[in-house]
Amino acid sequence: MVTHNLGYPRVGSKRELKWASEQFWAGKISKDELLWAGRQVRRQNWQTQQEAGIQWIPSNDFSFYDQVLDTALMVGAVPERYQSLIDGKSNRELEIYFAMARGIQQNGLDIKAMEMTKWFDTNYHYIVPEFLKNQQFKRYSDKIIHDFEDAKQMGILTKPVLLGPVSFLLLGKEKEAGFHRIDLLEPLLPVYADVLRELATRGTTWVQLDEPCLTLDLSENEQIAFQQAYEYLARAVPQLSLLVATYFESIQPNLALTLQLPVAALHVDLVRGNEQLEAMLADTSFVTSQRILSLGVVDGRNVWKNDFTQSLTFIQRAVDVLGKDRVWIAPSCSLLHVPYDLDLEKNDAVLTPEIKNWMAFAKQKLGEVVTLGRLAKGEAQGLLLENQVALESRRTSPLIHKTAVKTRVQAVQTDDFERYSTFAIRQQIQGESLQLPLFPTTTIGSFPQTDEVRQWRAKYKKGEVSQAEYEAFVETEIERSIRWQEEVGLDVLVHGEFERNDMVEYFGEQLTGYVFTQNGWVQSYGSRCVKPPIIYGDVERPEAMTVRWTTFAQSKTEKYMKGMLTGPVTILQWSFVRDDQPRKDTAFQIALAIRDEVQELEQAGIRIIQIDEPAIREGLPLRRADWATYLTWAVDAFRLSAAGVADQTQIHTHMCYSEFNDIMEAIARMDADVITIETSRSQMELLEAFSDFQYPNEIGPGVYDIHSPRVPSVEEMAHLLEKALRTIPARNLWVNPDCGLKTRRWAETDQALRNMVAAARQLQQTISV
């Protein structure tokens, strides 16, 4: 029985690629040094999978920034604004690649980055391909070929991985009217065929084409496109065995379409959709064919140990119908979404042995896949017993359940979700009370985390400086940032979050039911990595989490200081969540903890409180039929966290990288007084949804992209604000960046915010209410 893997984490077990990329961008290392660092990470990944016993190891799952961007470069889908980097110049592939991802502002060039959004319902971000009506494709990057050859040099014949042509188009965006991006399939397919043919000539026998869009609601034209694409590729490269991989949901709504695709193997996610197995095995044409079925039985998105008994039930059922030669075993999806290696967690005080014994990271999940293959053959029964003991330990552990927490959730009443007055009344009360100017300026919360800030935090955690010394340092940073904000001219200030490592981890560290890792890093986008907390039990707030720092900051200024909190759905979505109770129950537990913090901030005199919910949209189920249930409890969780304050207290929320059109009713039902959103990369396109819906509350559309180092001019931001005024009443418009500034440097932050304030002042001089 064949074991294989769909993809592996790619930043390095010690984030080697992150550090090398950032040094390259800063001009501290050469391109050759960056390429060497990437090669070392790739080769270590291949070796780890080989030693684990994985039979088909993926290549081209490695990326210097993003796999969708890799595909765009491979097929030459480079927007016009980057062509000046190509014309007449050789060996510029990496520079063009990073310019597309991050923008570029140097040597007289000022080119904006491409749009970025969430990868399905994960916390990974991808670069959105841009398409024109008469888009031409041509083979440009040969990275997939180079990676395959590199593995061959190690003696490993890999299974190259490539985003499938239809999903590539569907994940992009039309940049002009008059066509649908799926219309570009015909000119795109010859480039795919060309790449696949060369892989075949170099010795490839299997290629994995990821088509996660097969799990979505598809139009008739999109369904036809899938059939046409794979009929074309089957004719173009008959010598290759193609495996189409689906994940994150069941293919059942598109079952007939998927089973008709002329490919050698299909991969399905049985963690997210185990019901699809029986439907596939009931299809006579599939059963009588020779196609292979890859079972994604090991969870590629969470950290809990696999239940071998349950997985073996699925495997045996498939073997009984198809035979063992037609059944492969794999993780549910790429292991990109989980940390590298549980063995790197060596501090028992941070991750206790009891809880650690319930977990598996990427390296351990490889072992689970291989063990399941052995167990399916009747081998390694001792490992099955060990697995059952670990799972039983988790089920019965007194660490998990707290009666008081469960009772409080059950006691929640309808009134707990409601503000005292409607927004119209609150807006009038807050306007008279706060006396903010037209087009008030603020930031989303965090300021640059310098090396010094990180070093002090690390020293404090290691016990090298005392709590008093560390807190004195943080107070100094906060006060310095306040003086700077006052000098820049911002209207509503923030304390800068210098005491926080991460917007979710910081809160998780102060809530019960959470556990943490030292090295559990997961890629969010590019070089940005996060270390998600792990929810293993019932969640509650033993004491105040932010009040000390927010009230200190407020005491240092006459301007309003915004209290900064992370919302319950985002804390849930950006954590590894327990899988032994409904996500709704966990979300409500967190919401009550945040509610307590909101009320204590209000009691301490904080008049403006922001509860960030950037993950509301990404938690949306992939199929529309499941949306209503999720949106009901997700919005209720936010309202539960926010509704316990007086009308005078202004509640903000922040959402980023979301297509809002389909969920506007839910966003309106959140009833935040002010919502700030990401709009700069889309040039305010996202505001159309708010305009069409006639969204009544106040909005701060981001006027500059904080995920790029470029500094926008006053004129550029003023132009975006003027566009915003076409859809937002002047009295409802706030001025702010797209997101927090934690990842930026102070020099660019200073200039960008000065420009932003200047743009707001220009508007104030020309428009009045």
Side-chain angles (χ1 to χ4, degrees), residues 47-65:
Q47 184 176 343
T48 297
Q49 293 172 83
Q50 185 181 51
E51 290 173 352
I54 296 293
Q55 289 162 269
W56 279 111
I57 296 169
S59 62
N60 199 48
D61 56 327
F62 171 86
S63 176
F64 279 103
Y65 204 97

Side-chain angles (χ1 to χ4, degrees), residues 730-741:
R731 67 178 299 207
N732 287 2
L733 180 62
W734 284 66
V735 181
N736 46 262
D738 271 346
C739 201
L741 295 157

Side-chain angles (χ1 to χ4, degrees), residues 227-378:
Q227 191 69 37
Q228 291 176 336
Y230 285 91
E231 287 176 354
Y232 180 98
L233 294 178
R235 292 192 303 269
V237 282
Q239 66 273 43
L240 273 185
S241 295
L242 300 181
L243 182 155
V244 166
T246 67
Y247 39 79
F248 300 155
E249 245 306 347
S250 167
I251 61 167
Q252 202 148 355
N254 301 307
L255 182 68
L257 164 68
T258 307
L259 294 185
Q260 290 171 8
L261 298 180
V263 295
L266 293 170
H267 171 85
V268 292
D269 182 344
L270 296 187
V271 175
R272 287 292 184 101
N274 60 44
E275 76 286 349
Q276 64 190 314
L277 178 61
E278 285 302 321
M280 296 181 79
L281 297 180
D283 188 281
T284 304
S285 63
F286 177 74
V287 172
T288 56
S289 74
Q290 295 304 307
R291 278 176 289 174
I292 289 166
L293 179 59
S294 168
L295 305 178
V297 289
V298 172
D299 192 347
R301 291 184 55 175
N302 214 331
V303 295
W304 306 111
K305 274 187 174 175
N306 183 260
D307 184 339
F308 286 170
T309 301
Q310 181 184 63
S311 294
L312 286 169
T313 301
F314 296 140
I315 294 168
Q316 191 58 54
R317 173 67 178 141
V319 169
D320 288 345
V321 176
L322 303 176
K324 64 181 181 180
D325 292 339
R326 290 180 57 195
V327 177
W328 289 12
I329 305 174
S332 59
C333 60
S334 169
L335 297 175
L336 167 71
H337 307 287
V338 294
Y340 261 85
D341 185 1
L342 190 61
D343 293 339
L344 297 176
E345 304 302 319
K346 300 185 182 298
N347 189 337
D348 291 349
V350 176
L351 186 58
T352 65
E354 180 180 6
I355 298 175
K356 184 177 178 180
N357 189 43
W358 304 337
M359 296 179 184
F361 291 178
K363 183 178 178 181
Q364 288 70 41
K365 289 178 185 294
L366 297 175
E368 289 182 330
V369 169
V370 172
T371 297
L372 285 167
R374 295 179 63 196
L375 290 169
K377 294 189 292 184

Side-chain angles (χ1 to χ4, degrees), residues 612-626:
D612 287 340
E613 281 292 20
I616 282 271
R617 180 63 171 80
E618 80 178 41
L620 200 65
L622 299 185
R623 288 202 292 273
R624 193 176 291 268
D626 302 321

Side-chain angles (χ1 to χ4, degrees), residues 108 113 165 179 185 209 243 294 322 359 450 524 549 556 562 642 733:
F179 80 109
L185 184 63
L209 289 163
L243 182 155
S294 168
L322 303 176
M359 296 179 184
T450 63
S524 178
W549 296 114
K556 299 298 178 181
K562 221 177 0 176
L733 180 62

